[in-house]
PDB file of all heavy atoms in Angstrom:
ATOM      1  N   THR A 280     -33.574 -71.750  -8.423  1.00  0.00           N
ATOM      2  CA  THR A 280     -32.904 -71.439  -9.675  1.00  0.00           C
ATOM      3  C   THR A 280     -33.147 -69.980 -10.007  1.00  0.00           C
ATOM      4  O   THR A 280     -34.181 -69.413  -9.628  1.00  0.00           O
ATOM      5  CB  THR A 280     -33.436 -72.313 -10.817  1.00  0.00           C
ATOM      6  OG1 THR A 280     -34.828 -72.078 -10.968  1.00  0.00           O
ATOM      7  CG2 THR A 280     -33.191 -73.794 -10.548  1.00  0.00           C
ATOM      8  N   PHE A 281     -32.251 -69.403 -10.735  1.00  0.00           N
ATOM      9  CA  PHE A 281     -32.373 -68.003 -11.081  1.00  0.00           C
ATOM     10  C   PHE A 281     -33.132 -67.848 -12.384  1.00  0.00           C
ATOM     11  O   PHE A 281     -32.577 -67.590 -13.441  1.00  0.00           O
ATOM     12  CB  PHE A 281     -30.984 -67.360 -11.178  1.00  0.00           C
ATOM     13  CG  PHE A 281     -30.366 -67.175  -9.836  1.00  0.00           C
ATOM     14  CD1 PHE A 281     -29.613 -68.179  -9.262  1.00  0.00           C
ATOM     15  CD2 PHE A 281     -30.571 -66.011  -9.124  1.00  0.00           C
ATOM     16  CE1 PHE A 281     -29.056 -68.029  -8.026  1.00  0.00           C
ATOM     17  CE2 PHE A 281     -30.010 -65.855  -7.875  1.00  0.00           C
ATOM     18  CZ  PHE A 281     -29.243 -66.853  -7.320  1.00  0.00           C
ATOM     19  N   GLY A 282     -34.457 -68.069 -12.299  1.00  0.00           N
ATOM     20  CA  GLY A 282     -35.302 -67.887 -13.456  1.00  0.00           C
ATOM     21  C   GLY A 282     -35.369 -66.435 -13.870  1.00  0.00           C
ATOM     22  O   GLY A 282     -35.393 -66.129 -15.050  1.00  0.00           O
ATOM     23  N   GLU A 300     -38.070 -74.937  -8.175  1.00  0.00           N
ATOM     24  CA  GLU A 300     -38.180 -76.015  -9.147  1.00  0.00           C
ATOM     25  C   GLU A 300     -39.629 -76.444  -9.340  1.00  0.00           C
ATOM     26  O   GLU A 300     -40.013 -76.890 -10.411  1.00  0.00           O
ATOM     27  CB  GLU A 300     -37.352 -77.226  -8.671  1.00  0.00           C
ATOM     28  CG  GLU A 300     -35.856 -76.978  -8.600  1.00  0.00           C
ATOM     29  CD  GLU A 300     -35.211 -76.958  -9.961  1.00  0.00           C
ATOM     30  OE1 GLU A 300     -35.912 -77.163 -10.968  1.00  0.00           O
ATOM     31  OE2 GLU A 300     -33.991 -76.735 -10.034  1.00  0.00           O
ATOM     32  N   GLN A 305     -42.909 -71.343 -14.880  1.00  0.00           N
ATOM     33  CA  GLN A 305     -41.840 -70.394 -15.141  1.00  0.00           C
ATOM     34  C   GLN A 305     -40.566 -70.900 -14.484  1.00  0.00           C
ATOM     35  O   GLN A 305     -40.272 -70.560 -13.342  1.00  0.00           O
ATOM     36  CB  GLN A 305     -42.192 -69.006 -14.586  1.00  0.00           C
ATOM     37  CG  GLN A 305     -43.357 -68.340 -15.306  1.00  0.00           C
ATOM     38  CD  GLN A 305     -43.685 -67.011 -14.673  1.00  0.00           C
ATOM     39  OE1 GLN A 305     -43.525 -66.837 -13.488  1.00  0.00           O
ATOM     40  NE2 GLN A 305     -44.131 -66.077 -15.486  1.00  0.00           N
ATOM     41  N   THR A 306     -39.897 -71.777 -15.192  1.00  0.00           N
ATOM     42  CA  THR A 306     -38.679 -72.354 -14.630  1.00  0.00           C
ATOM     43  C   THR A 306     -37.584 -72.315 -15.695  1.00  0.00           C
ATOM     44  O   THR A 306     -37.809 -72.727 -16.835  1.00  0.00           O
ATOM     45  CB  THR A 306     -38.898 -73.812 -14.180  1.00  0.00           C
ATOM     46  OG1 THR A 306     -39.939 -73.822 -13.211  1.00  0.00           O
ATOM     47  CG2 THR A 306     -37.632 -74.404 -13.624  1.00  0.00           C
ATOM     48  N   THR A 307     -36.432 -71.819 -15.293  1.00  0.00           N
ATOM     49  CA  THR A 307     -35.264 -71.827 -16.159  1.00  0.00           C
ATOM     50  C   THR A 307     -34.363 -72.963 -15.735  1.00  0.00           C
ATOM     51  O   THR A 307     -34.099 -73.125 -14.540  1.00  0.00           O
ATOM     52  CB  THR A 307     -34.494 -70.490 -16.033  1.00  0.00           C
ATOM     53  OG1 THR A 307     -35.378 -69.444 -16.421  1.00  0.00           O
ATOM     54  CG2 THR A 307     -33.259 -70.492 -16.923  1.00  0.00           C
ATOM     55  N   PRO A 308     -33.909 -73.810 -16.684  1.00  0.00           N
ATOM     56  CA  PRO A 308     -33.081 -74.962 -16.294  1.00  0.00           C
ATOM     57  C   PRO A 308     -31.845 -74.514 -15.514  1.00  0.00           C
ATOM     58  O   PRO A 308     -31.207 -73.527 -15.834  1.00  0.00           O
ATOM     59  CB  PRO A 308     -32.683 -75.588 -17.639  1.00  0.00           C
ATOM     60  CG  PRO A 308     -33.704 -75.079 -18.600  1.00  0.00           C
ATOM     61  CD  PRO A 308     -34.112 -73.740 -18.139  1.00  0.00           C
ATOM     62  N   TYR A 309     -31.537 -75.281 -14.467  1.00  0.00           N
ATOM     63  CA  TYR A 309     -30.365 -74.986 -13.633  1.00  0.00           C
ATOM     64  C   TYR A 309     -29.187 -75.739 -14.244  1.00  0.00           C
ATOM     65  O   TYR A 309     -28.758 -76.771 -13.756  1.00  0.00           O
ATOM     66  CB  TYR A 309     -30.652 -75.457 -12.217  1.00  0.00           C
ATOM     67  CG  TYR A 309     -29.773 -74.837 -11.177  1.00  0.00           C
ATOM     68  CD1 TYR A 309     -29.593 -73.470 -11.102  1.00  0.00           C
ATOM     69  CD2 TYR A 309     -29.096 -75.636 -10.255  1.00  0.00           C
ATOM     70  CE1 TYR A 309     -28.810 -72.895 -10.134  1.00  0.00           C
ATOM     71  CE2 TYR A 309     -28.301 -75.080  -9.288  1.00  0.00           C
ATOM     72  CZ  TYR A 309     -28.172 -73.705  -9.232  1.00  0.00           C
ATOM     73  OH  TYR A 309     -27.371 -73.153  -8.272  1.00  0.00           O
ATOM     74  N   ASP A 310     -28.665 -75.198 -15.366  1.00  0.00           N
ATOM     75  CA  ASP A 310     -27.691 -75.936 -16.166  1.00  0.00           C
ATOM     76  C   ASP A 310     -26.279 -75.466 -15.866  1.00  0.00           C
ATOM     77  O   ASP A 310     -25.976 -74.943 -14.816  1.00  0.00           O
ATOM     78  CB  ASP A 310     -28.017 -75.776 -17.652  1.00  0.00           C
ATOM     79  CG  ASP A 310     -28.195 -74.315 -18.020  1.00  0.00           C
ATOM     80  OD1 ASP A 310     -27.768 -73.463 -17.212  1.00  0.00           O
ATOM     81  OD2 ASP A 310     -28.756 -74.026 -19.083  1.00  0.00           O
ATOM     82  N   GLY A 311     -25.398 -75.597 -16.868  1.00  0.00           N
ATOM     83  CA  GLY A 311     -23.978 -75.314 -16.680  1.00  0.00           C
ATOM     84  C   GLY A 311     -23.636 -73.859 -16.513  1.00  0.00           C
ATOM     85  O   GLY A 311     -22.472 -73.548 -16.258  1.00  0.00           O
ATOM     86  N   VAL A 312     -24.609 -72.975 -16.661  1.00  0.00           N
ATOM     87  CA  VAL A 312     -24.294 -71.550 -16.526  1.00  0.00           C
ATOM     88  C   VAL A 312     -24.458 -71.094 -15.081  1.00  0.00           C
ATOM     89  O   VAL A 312     -24.520 -69.896 -14.817  1.00  0.00           O
ATOM     90  CB  VAL A 312     -25.194 -70.695 -17.451  1.00  0.00           C
ATOM     91  CG1 VAL A 312     -24.998 -71.077 -18.894  1.00  0.00           C
ATOM     92  CG2 VAL A 312     -26.663 -70.841 -17.064  1.00  0.00           C
ATOM     93  N   LYS A 313     -24.533 -72.021 -14.140  1.00  0.00           N
ATOM     94  CA  LYS A 313     -24.769 -71.670 -12.751  1.00  0.00           C
ATOM     95  C   LYS A 313     -23.700 -70.704 -12.236  1.00  0.00           C
ATOM     96  O   LYS A 313     -24.021 -69.684 -11.624  1.00  0.00           O
ATOM     97  CB  LYS A 313     -24.804 -72.944 -11.910  1.00  0.00           C
ATOM     98  CG  LYS A 313     -24.960 -72.677 -10.414  1.00  0.00           C
ATOM     99  CD  LYS A 313     -25.074 -73.970  -9.647  1.00  0.00           C
ATOM    100  CE  LYS A 313     -23.781 -74.770  -9.739  1.00  0.00           C
ATOM    101  NZ  LYS A 313     -23.815 -75.964  -8.879  1.00  0.00           N
ATOM    102  N   GLN A 316     -23.937 -67.272 -13.698  1.00  0.00           N
ATOM    103  CA  GLN A 316     -25.015 -66.492 -13.083  1.00  0.00           C
ATOM    104  C   GLN A 316     -24.575 -65.944 -11.726  1.00  0.00           C
ATOM    105  O   GLN A 316     -24.901 -64.813 -11.370  1.00  0.00           O
ATOM    106  CB  GLN A 316     -26.260 -67.365 -12.920  1.00  0.00           C
ATOM    107  CG  GLN A 316     -26.920 -67.745 -14.236  1.00  0.00           C
ATOM    108  CD  GLN A 316     -28.068 -68.706 -14.014  1.00  0.00           C
ATOM    109  OE1 GLN A 316     -28.165 -69.304 -12.939  1.00  0.00           O
ATOM    110  NE2 GLN A 316     -28.914 -68.855 -15.001  1.00  0.00           N
ATOM    111  N   ILE A 337     -28.812 -63.494 -18.746  1.00  0.00           N
ATOM    112  CA  ILE A 337     -29.345 -64.768 -18.241  1.00  0.00           C
ATOM    113  C   ILE A 337     -30.445 -65.268 -19.154  1.00  0.00           C
ATOM    114  O   ILE A 337     -30.534 -66.445 -19.434  1.00  0.00           O
ATOM    115  CB  ILE A 337     -29.835 -64.593 -16.805  1.00  0.00           C
ATOM    116  CG1 ILE A 337     -28.667 -64.309 -15.884  1.00  0.00           C
ATOM    117  CG2 ILE A 337     -30.563 -65.842 -16.319  1.00  0.00           C
ATOM    118  CD1 ILE A 337     -29.012 -64.108 -14.451  1.00  0.00           C
TER     119      ILE A 337
END
Side-chain angles (χ1 to χ4, degrees):
T280 60
F281 287 88
E300 295 285 358
Q305 293 178 328
T306 301
T307 300
Y309 199 51
D310 51 16
V312 299
K313 176 176 65 174
Q316 292 175 343
I337 294 180

